[in-house]
Amino acid sequence: MALILHIRHLIPSYAAFPLFFALLWNQAVYYGARIATASFPHYDLTTYFDRLIPVVPFFTSIYFLAFPFWAAGYILSVRISRDQAMTLLCGDFLSKGVCLVFFLLFPTTNTRPEIAGRGIWETLLLWLYQTDSPDNLFPSIHCLVSWLCFAGIRRQPTIPLPCQAATLFMALLVFLSTLFTRQHVIADVLGAIVIGEACYRIASLPRVRGCYGKIVSPFVFRQNSTP
């Protein structure tokens, strides 16, 4: 009960259902596309430059740290204001929709390397390979959500500059982690940044974020929202 009350204190009422909806939409896009394209031909976007990137098992830790980073980044952003919450979550919704189109019409895969050694990071990386099949790669959702975490707080006067810089730094580390673990290739990372930024800017338009807000949170968004 104490944990629930703490979470309710962290997440404003106007953002509670939209955040939950964002999580459901992410799962539907990722796993729904995987099921739908299981028998489709998949394309490998690995280039010569990708093959030059070494496997660094330690970056598996950064890859998994991305999950609490996203939670903290999204909560930090939605607490700024209703409008900022709807901008971020609308951008998330639009960008995941674009991901779904690519996952369905242009399924991608890659060839994972053999992992030598049985240290903790090698073991964790092997476990990641076993539990996460190499599909739904372009664009990288790992990189897309990390970029949105930064976009949601950048140039916000209520967020200290060191916090903004730390968020950008962590997002860059996540980008590197997807490459050093061979979960993704360079094209996946670049595609995620471009799609995430474009969708966030579209969501920044008052009419777009307003429409989204009225759909996912009609009762609380109506009050005190910026026209």
Side-chain angles (χ1 to χ4, degrees):
M1 180 62 70
L3 177 60
I4 294 175
L5 291 175
H6 185 62
I7 293 174
R8 290 182 63 182
H9 177 72
L10 283 176
I11 301 175
S13 60
Y14 57 77
F17 179 75
L19 279 170
F20 179 66
F21 177 75
L23 178 61
L24 289 180
W25 178 232
N26 180 83
Q27 300 303 95
V29 167
Y30 191 78
Y31 292 104
R34 172 172 290 172
I35 294 170
T37 61
S39 62
F40 290 13
H42 285 57
Y43 304 93
D44 191 339
L45 300 181
T46 303
T47 66
Y48 167 79
F49 298 102
D50 291 296
R51 296 186 184 93
L52 295 178
I53 298 173
V55 176
V56 184
F58 170 76
F59 270 86
T60 310
S61 62
I62 305 297
Y63 191 86
F64 284 113
L65 281 174
F67 294 98
F69 167 60
W70 299 338
Y74 272 45
I75 290 173
L76 184 62
S77 183
V78 301
R79 286 173 59 88
I80 295 172
S81 68
R82 285 180 173 84
D83 285 341
Q84 187 57 23
M86 295 308 128
T87 297
L88 173 69
L89 296 174
C90 180
D92 178 275
F93 175 77
L94 295 175
S95 59
K96 299 292 176 56
V98 175
C99 287
L100 179 60
V101 172
F102 276 105
F103 292 166
L104 293 175
L105 300 183
F106 188 64
T108 50
T109 187
N110 65 11
T111 301
R112 288 167 169 173
E114 294 290 333
I115 302 300
R118 289 296 181 268
I120 182 172
W121 304 121
E122 289 85 357
T123 301
L124 195 58
L125 182 55
L126 284 170
W127 179 82
L128 175 61
Y129 286 174
Q130 292 167 1
T131 56
D132 186 27
S133 59
D135 52 21
N136 290 343
L137 301 184
F138 180 89
S140 164
I141 287 185
H142 243 70
C143 297
L144 186 148
V145 176
S146 298
W147 183 255
L148 288 177
C149 284
F150 171 63
I153 67 168
R154 69 184 174 198
R155 295 193 291 273
Q156 294 293 328
T158 58
I159 305 298
L161 285 177
C163 181
Q164 297 184 37
T167 302
L168 175 59
F169 180 69
M170 183 61 189
L172 295 175
L173 283 180
V174 173
F175 299 167
L176 292 175
S177 77
T178 66
L179 298 176
F180 285 133
T181 59
R182 295 289 180 87
Q183 281 289 92
H184 289 279
V185 297
I186 296 171
D188 303 333
V189 177
L190 297 179
I193 296 171
V194 171
I195 292 169
E197 181 66 20
C199 290
Y200 182 83
R201 293 195 180 201
I202 293 171
S204 298
L205 300 173
R207 287 191 178 183
V208 176
R209 70 166 179 251
C211 180
Y212 173 82
K214 290 175 182 178
I215 292 172
V216 299
S217 192
F219 302 108
V220 296
F221 184 79
R222 190 175 302 158
Q223 302 176 354
N224 300 323
S225 61
T226 301

